[in-house]
Amino acid sequence: MPTLTIDNLSVTIPDGSTIFEAAAQLGIVVPHFCYHHALGAVGACRMCAVTVVEGKMPGLKMSCMTPAEEGMVVETDTAQAMEFREHVGEWLMTNHPHDCPVCDEGGECQLQEMTISSGHGVRNYRGNKRTYQNQDLGPFIAQEMNRCIQCYRCARTYQDYCGGRDFGPMGSRQRVFFGRFTDGMLESDFSGNIVDVCPTGVLTDKTFRFKTRLWDLQQAPSICPHCSLGCATVPGGRYREIQRVVSGVNVQTNGHFICDRGRFGSSYVNHPKRPRQARVDGTNVPVAQALNRLRDKIAGVIAEHGPGAVAFVGSGRASLEANWLLKQWARSLKCPAPVFELHPRRGRAIRQAVGPLSSHLASLRQVRKSDLVLVIGADPLNEAPMLALALRQAVREGGRIVVLDPRPVDLPCVFEHHPLTQEQILCLLAGRCETGLLNNLLSELMTARRPVLVGGSDLLGGVGLQLLGHLTESCDNDDRYCLIHPLLPRVNSFGGGLLEDAPQEDLLERLENGRIKALVCLESDPGSEHPEAGRMQLALSRLDYLAVFDCLPTHATRRADLLLPTATTVEGDGVYINNEGRMQAFSAALQPGIPIAAVTAGQHPPREFMPETPGSQPQPAWQMLQDLLGERHSVTALRRAMEQSEPRLEGMSRLQPGDEGIKVAPQDPEPVEESTVEIWSQDGDLRLLPVQSCYGSEVASSLSQTVTPRLVTPRLMVHPQEAQQRHLQEGEDVTLKTAHGLFRLRLFCDERMATRRAIVPCLPGTPLEIFVPGGLSLPCDIEGGAS
Amino acid sequence: MSLWRDIKGTLQPFWVTLCNMMRRPVTVQYPEQKQQMAQRYRGRLMLTRDPEGHERCVACHLCSAACPVDCISMQAAEGDDGRRHAAWFRINFTRCIFCGLCTEACPTLAIQVTGEFELAGRDPLKLVWEKDDLLVDHGGHTPDYNFYRQSGVGVAAPRGGLPTETAPVDPKDLMP
């Protein structure tokens, strides 16, 4: 812990820190380009020169490359250092096109800021400027190479940090170019991060092109709603339209980067078919009137059929506050407690994560620091992309990754893949079959210093996670825990599971036997979330009364007798609990409203006065539920009340949007439902496994126009051996026969996947939407040729 | 001394009056007679064009950022030729205080002041001017300036085609 003096201020910093980091701790920003907090220093730009007055090697030094020493005296503003930095600024600007007015980086340009802070103002160089031809890097990234200052940050991010292979530096001397070998879409699912790290306008967000300057953006710290990892984001918008999302910083979860689904998948907020008006029996009414009507209607049903005839459905999409208030509402009406996950198998998995596993949960940071990660039944790039990036960081620091999964798992790093089927994995975990592999892995887990098990709840289910829990406990030793990182279905699944008192009977059965007359859905869509989607939709159509709170157009909102429009994540305040039990607050960046661009078809805003904003009816669900309960508390008062009623939420009222979040208290170790492990026999035939796809499987990204270019087409994937047995060719259109009907799909083969399995992506809005991820594999058959 | 001062103070105003009685009056008979405003008078704003006849405004938002009363709003868009332009551009002259800060901020010399100041009317909405109302077909005070001929983004000239630029490099060439 050396103590040194910088600009007459003394600072003590951890061993191994540089002068630059010491200065940053004092709040002194030394001008810099190539240094980035997540990427470290390379000493390429020579911008961060400072003068070491006293120390082992006095003189002009690059602060990002010089380790801080005990007793060092450093000055950042000596004439020597300032003159050096001014010259560096001038050299970096010799080829700059000076096109700031038409550059999207304007307003947040590090080159602009650092050039000014270096003191350079007038260009003395009289030679001609070097120019480049730009490349088309696809629908997400725009390139303008003339602005480049060759800091290498993009290449270090894309290749080193994110593991992409199709973008990097080319050329020599004055011609160094950053791009692909040929034009084309960037292949990495983390390509958007190069926009964030580029210190100037070479790489900009194409979906945000020419939309808004930073100073006009309405921004707020938020949480990415697309998967259960709960990455920190900063959405920004203007004119009632969400326009971009950039990565927030949370060292415990995502660090400094986010995936492309989180970055580019937010235009669902602007979706033209979003519910924006409260609707009662097909007529638009004010929200207050709809709430009164709902209260009366539910009271009527209870008076007629008893409290058991009303069912409430919470959701992993809704905020913790809204789910908690729904539970309070059900309790005040003496109705059965809400169901928070409609998929019974997924629900059991969530209960495992919230309960028995809660003392062993690992954060993404711990995954990044791990030396052995066992990924069991999870496909990180498709289910939770930032986990794949965390796994890469583990490998970069010398860790090892072993994946057990039937899918052709892709990761941006070196890993060992065992293509086992769902049943084989469960068998293995239960120790009932071929144990050689498990024994090897177990011995490795015992000796690893920071082992982490990643478990996908969709494939493993509650039983699998329970077995995984036993495995972690058996690998614990006195020095460390063996941690577990479960992937859950939705952003607030953990929160829903935490509020659930006792497992309940499947909602579908209660609906089908007619016991339920009225159903209240909070940001959930039974018709697409329940594994028996078809049966569920039929049951819903026989329901007397369906009331839906939602922000997205779903089957339920179309069918609803009473619809209440809620605000999306970027339009309201709330708390989500991510898959490792971390409570994180988000706040509203925008007010709800129909985007001005949609109202005016790109022309100027209407020249008339209106008493209210069009489409501004949506409110955060917790506000509407408070109205129903006859309360009006601030969000802080509400969180305080929640803390008191749920002791595990301790600390919730202290949450600030943009902070690291607070982990929920682990559950007291108490005997839990010990369900028997059922391992079913594996038929020799082909079985169908519906899985999540990175883009388009969860409802928010499927409604986002911007990610359309990355959507996969409905397809069927099998092992080449299966295709060969059936005399089918890759690329051929085949017929998939299942209990849910016949599907015409293009056949793809991949030899990395398990045999005897056919994989289809779950894609809402396509014929494959009948399949819901998270279930067991289904019997199926494939036939080639026309049928 | 005070006596002399008093006498002077009594007579001097009469003398000043007498001198000015003989001069021609300076009062202008406005509105019958129009005044020629000074070149740098800060009246109503306009959007000018470059020497090639294209709109100069690139909707960079600097004028609206500089505006102390927030009377300028706009939305940028990209044209087929890669030109950044204003999809719509609105100045609310009921708010404008004619300070001219927007013209100082403008990096493309698009927004400029005119000598016109007769904006009074009965309908406030008539003082909300859109791009079509603001756009003129000349270069204002700076007829020769063309932003796209100064900055190298390959819009007015092909990439690397400005006199201050070299032709685009071949990044796949590794020759020294």
Side-chain angles (χ1 to χ4, degrees):
Chain A
M1 297 283 277
T3 302
L4 69 162
T5 309
I6 302 176
D7 290 350
N8 298 323
L9 298 166
S10 69
V11 61
T12 307
I13 46 158
D15 289 321
S17 305
T18 60
I19 298 177
F20 184 90
E21 284 155 356
Q25 198 171 319
L26 283 169
I28 302 167
V29 180
V30 183
H32 61 282
F33 288 114
C34 63
Y35 175 88
H36 185 279
H37 197 84
L39 304 173
V42 287
C45 71
R46 319 309 284 173
M47 194 66 178
C48 61
V50 294
T51 304
V52 176
V53 181
E54 275 177 37
K56 280 183 202 154
M57 299 275 276
L60 196 66
K61 293 277 173 284
M62 296 310 127
S63 60
C64 75
M65 299 303 285
T66 315
E69 295 158 15
E70 180 65 38
M72 211 178 209
V73 178
V74 177
E75 286 187 20
T76 63
D77 55 355
T78 57
Q80 186 194 24
M82 284 168 69
E83 194 197 342
F84 184 89
R85 293 202 299 257
E86 186 180 341
H87 283 308
V88 173
E90 187 169 353
W91 296 329
L92 289 173
M93 291 297 287
T94 52
N95 288 311
H96 195 77
H98 292 86
D99 62 338
C100 305
V102 297
C103 175
D104 261 338
E105 197 81 357
E108 48 190 327
C109 180
Q110 203 180 349
L111 180 61
Q112 225 170 33
E113 286 163 15
M114 295 302 161
T115 306
I116 291 166
S117 68
S118 76
H120 164 65
V122 178
R123 185 172 187 265
N124 291 313
Y125 179 64
R126 292 283 160 250
N128 282 350
K129 294 176 183 177
R130 170 209 55 203
T131 60
Y132 292 100
Q133 293 293 2
N134 292 331
Q135 280 184 331
D136 179 5
L137 296 180
F140 297 149
I141 315 281
Q143 190 192 36
E144 174 48 70
M145 262 310 286
N146 287 359
R147 298 173 186 146
C148 185
I149 57 164
Q150 276 77 25
C151 70
Y152 282 74
R153 270 193 192 181
C154 55
R156 287 156 67 206
T157 306
Y158 195 84
Q159 294 188 342
D160 299 353
Y161 199 94
C162 300
R165 293 175 171 203
D166 57 327
F167 177 96
M170 279 184 268
S172 62
R173 59 180 184 96
Q174 262 284 73
R175 297 172 299 218
V176 176
F177 178 86
F178 296 87
R180 286 166 53 88
F181 199 69
T182 52
D183 284 13
M185 180 155 68
L186 290 171
E187 287 163 9
S188 171
D189 285 319
F190 309 97
S191 64
N193 293 310
I194 60 177
V195 172
D196 279 4
V197 296
C198 181
T200 173
V202 179
L203 301 159
T204 49
D205 185 341
K206 208 180 246 183
T207 63
F208 182 58
R209 190 160 171 82
F210 295 169
K211 282 198 172 150
T212 301
R213 291 278 180 219
L214 175 74
W215 59 76
D216 286 332
L217 267 187
Q218 293 168 267
Q219 297 193 109
S222 190
I223 303 298
C224 178
H226 290 287
C227 74
S228 62
L229 298 181
C231 299
T233 58
V234 183
R238 189 174 68 124
Y239 293 145
R240 314 197 292 252
E241 179 185 37
I242 183 90
Q243 294 179 325
R244 73 163 188 190
V245 174
V246 295
S247 171
V249 177
N250 185 347
V251 289
Q252 299 296 339
T253 58
N254 59 324
H256 290 73
F257 299 119
I258 53 171
C259 66
D260 283 359
R261 177 165 75 179
R263 185 182 299 268
F264 300 112
S266 284
S267 55
Y268 69 92
V269 177
N270 308 330
H271 198 276
K273 290 196 177 142
R274 240 187 86 181
R276 293 193 184 269
Q277 287 255 310
R279 197 181 70 209
V280 173
D281 300 326
T283 328
N284 292 338
V285 296
V287 167
Q289 197 179 323
L291 287 172
N292 284 335
R293 180 66 185 263
L294 176 61
R295 197 188 289 119
D296 297 347
K297 193 78 194 177
I298 298 294
V301 172
I302 290 175
E304 197 177 332
H305 303 282
V310 183
F312 295 87
V313 182
S315 141
R317 271 202 283 133
S319 67
L320 193 62
E321 288 90 341
N323 278 331
W324 183 79
L325 284 164
L326 187 75
K327 188 176 163 185
Q328 299 302 309
W329 189 31
R331 187 179 290 170
S332 73
L333 296 172
K334 299 191 171 54
C335 295
V339 184
F340 292 101
E341 175 58 58
L342 283 164
H343 197 306
R345 193 162 173 274
R346 279 178 155 184
R348 282 194 289 276
I350 294 166
R351 272 199 296 283
Q352 280 294 325
V354 173
L357 303 183
S358 59
S359 56
H360 279 65
L361 293 174
S363 66
L364 265 193
R365 180 165 186 263
Q366 284 164 318
V367 176
R368 285 195 288 270
K369 300 279 174 207
S370 172
D371 58 345
L372 174 64
V373 188
L374 216 56
V375 181
I376 303 174
D379 182 2
L381 264 188
N382 284 318
E383 291 179 331
M386 281 308 288
L387 174 63
L389 206 53
L391 293 175
R392 175 169 173 81
Q393 306 322 308
V395 171
R396 284 179 76 201
E397 295 195 11
R400 196 164 102 81
I401 313 290
V402 181
V403 180
L404 310 182
D405 195 273
R407 287 164 280 191
V409 174
D410 235 337
L411 287 178
C413 58
V414 178
F415 66 105
E416 189 184 316
H417 183 204
H418 299 277
L420 304 181
T421 64
Q422 203 175 6
E423 294 81 0
Q424 284 168 338
I425 292 173
L426 290 172
C427 244
L428 192 74
L429 290 177
R432 298 209 188 160
C433 42
E434 190 261 321
T435 48
L437 177 62
L438 186 70
N439 287 340
N440 287 347
L441 291 174
L442 266 176
S443 62
E444 278 194 61
L445 279 175
M446 299 297 273
T447 51
R449 276 173 298 138
R450 297 176 300 277
V452 175
L453 299 180
V454 173
S457 64
D458 277 0
L459 246 68
L460 297 183
V463 173
L465 285 187
Q466 192 184 353
L467 291 170
L468 221 52
H470 296 320
L471 192 63
T472 55
E473 277 162 24
S474 65
C475 295
D476 283 349
N477 62 32
D478 298 339
D479 304 330
R480 52 127 183 96
Y481 276 153
C482 177
L483 297 173
I484 183 162
H485 188 82
L487 292 182
L488 301 181
R490 269 174 268 276
V491 61
N492 196 24
S493 286
F494 196 105
L498 198 98
L499 295 175
E500 209 157 51
D501 295 328
Q504 291 183 19
E505 201 184 330
D506 187 5
L507 184 78
L508 181 60
E509 282 168 28
R510 287 192 280 158
L511 278 174
E512 280 184 336
N513 62 26
R515 270 189 282 154
I516 293 174
K517 303 291 177 200
L519 186 67
V520 180
C521 294
L522 171 66
E523 300 190 354
S524 67
D525 181 26
S528 69
E529 289 169 19
H530 195 275
E532 302 262 4
R535 257 173 77 197
M536 184 54 118
Q537 284 181 20
L538 199 68
L540 286 179
S541 64
R542 288 202 300 256
L543 197 67
D544 283 359
Y545 203 69
L546 177 63
V548 179
F549 295 73
D550 213 334
C551 56
L552 300 173
T554 61
H555 294 292
T557 58
R558 281 190 285 276
R559 150 80 186 78
D561 298 302
L562 186 142
L563 172 65
L564 284 156
T566 60
T568 57
T569 309
V570 299
E571 296 160 344
D573 297 344
V575 168
Y576 288 146
I577 307 186
N578 78 352
N579 60 337
E580 41 131 350
R582 186 176 297 280
M583 295 184 277
Q584 291 173 292
F586 57 90
S587 61
L590 296 175
Q591 293 299 309
I594 299 174
I596 286 188
V599 175
T600 62
Q603 277 305 301
H604 56 71
R607 297 174 62 88
E608 59 194 89
F609 298 107
M610 277 177 269
E612 68 171 26
T613 314
S616 60
Q617 275 203 359
Q619 293 174 15
W622 58 266
Q623 277 183 7
M624 292 199 262
L625 285 162
Q626 276 200 333
D627 287 347
L628 274 172
L629 286 164
E631 299 168 4
R632 256 300 174 188
H633 298 306
S634 70
V635 75
T636 321
L638 176 63
R639 286 175 193 168
R640 216 168 282 137
M642 291 171 68
E643 267 180 345
Q644 278 161 9
S645 89
E646 303 279 344
R648 288 185 70 189
L649 299 177
E650 173 60 36
M652 191 184 173
S653 60
R654 283 181 279 124
L655 287 176
Q656 291 292 327
D659 66 10
E660 281 187 5
I662 299 173
K663 281 189 92 160
V664 297
Q667 194 193 41
D668 297 331
E670 60 183 56
V672 285
E673 34 157 345
E674 192 73 31
S675 58
T676 50
V677 180
E678 282 177 35
I679 308 292
W680 52 100
S681 66
Q682 197 184 345
D683 296 335
D685 303 335
L686 200 64
R687 290 181 80 94
L688 183 73
L689 185 63
V691 297
Q692 287 190 51
S693 154
C694 182
Y695 304 93
S697 272
E698 44 72 66
V699 62
S701 81
S702 75
L703 293 169
S704 291
Q705 278 280 311
T706 33
V707 295
T708 320
R710 295 302 287 262
L711 291 182
V712 294
T713 47
R715 60 178 60 185
L716 180 71
M717 201 177 274
V718 293
H719 194 275
Q721 206 178 308
E722 303 295 332
Q724 213 172 6
Q725 275 175 13
R726 290 168 178 74
H727 308 293
L728 300 171
Q729 298 291 321
E730 180 163 13
E732 189 180 342
D733 282 338
V734 295
T735 307
L736 173 71
K737 286 181 173 174
T738 69
H740 294 300
L742 302 180
F743 301 90
R744 210 68 196 129
L745 296 166
R746 174 100 5 125
L747 185 74
F748 287 80
C749 295
D750 200 318
E751 58 188 8
R752 293 170 302 165
M753 64 178 282
T755 50
R756 293 173 180 176
R757 285 295 171 276
I759 294 176
V760 288
C762 301
L763 298 169
T766 71
L768 292 180
E769 70 181 343
I770 198 84
F771 298 111
V772 178
L776 298 169
S777 55
L778 314 162
C780 73
D781 198 11
I782 306 177
E783 269 182 21
S787 65
Chain B
M1 287 301 281
S2 63
L3 181 67
W4 278 113
R5 194 197 65 194
D6 294 346
I7 294 170
K8 191 184 167 202
T10 310
L11 294 179
Q12 200 177 20
F14 287 103
W15 174 245
V16 171
T17 312
L18 263 174
C19 286
N20 282 302
M21 273 173 75
M22 301 301 142
R23 288 175 58 172
R24 288 175 58 190
V26 292
T27 311
V28 177
Q29 291 304 315
Y30 180 82
E32 289 79 17
Q33 195 182 341
K34 299 290 186 194
Q35 172 76 308
Q36 178 65 44
M37 304 311 291
Q39 250 225 318
R40 289 170 62 183
Y41 183 82
R42 301 193 306 262
R44 196 234 332 143
L45 298 159
M46 63 176 170
L47 290 176
T48 59
R49 288 178 186 272
D50 65 23
E52 292 163 18
H54 296 291
E55 287 169 27
R56 270 185 178 152
C57 176
V58 295
C60 70
H61 289 258
L62 282 181
C63 52
S64 68
C67 182
V69 291
D70 276 354
C71 73
I72 306 179
S73 50
M74 76 194 78
Q75 177 62 55
E78 188 173 14
D80 294 336
D81 53 357
R83 257 173 215 274
R84 182 175 164 136
H85 65 274
W88 54 268
F89 189 102
R90 176 181 279 184
I91 299 183
N92 186 343
F93 283 112
T94 59
R95 280 192 189 174
C96 181
I97 56 168
F98 305 99
C99 64
L101 285 179
C102 50
T103 64
E104 285 178 35
C106 185
T108 64
L109 307 184
I111 192 165
Q112 296 188 9
V113 286
T114 65
E116 194 190 319
F117 56 88
E118 296 166 311
L119 291 162
R122 289 178 185 278
D123 181 3
L125 210 54
K126 283 194 176 147
L127 284 169
V128 179
W129 286 39
E130 305 292 351
K131 188 170 108 174
D132 289 345
D133 309 321
L134 294 163
L135 204 60
V136 295
D137 58 357
H138 55 79
H141 304 305
T142 51
D144 301 328
Y145 181 71
N146 187 343
F147 166 77
Y148 280 117
R149 296 248 169 233
Q150 304 290 325
S151 68
V153 284
V155 169
R159 293 185 73 79
L162 293 178
T164 54
E165 292 177 336
T166 54
V169 298
D170 176 8
K172 290 173 190 165
D173 180 11
L174 292 176
M175 293 302 282

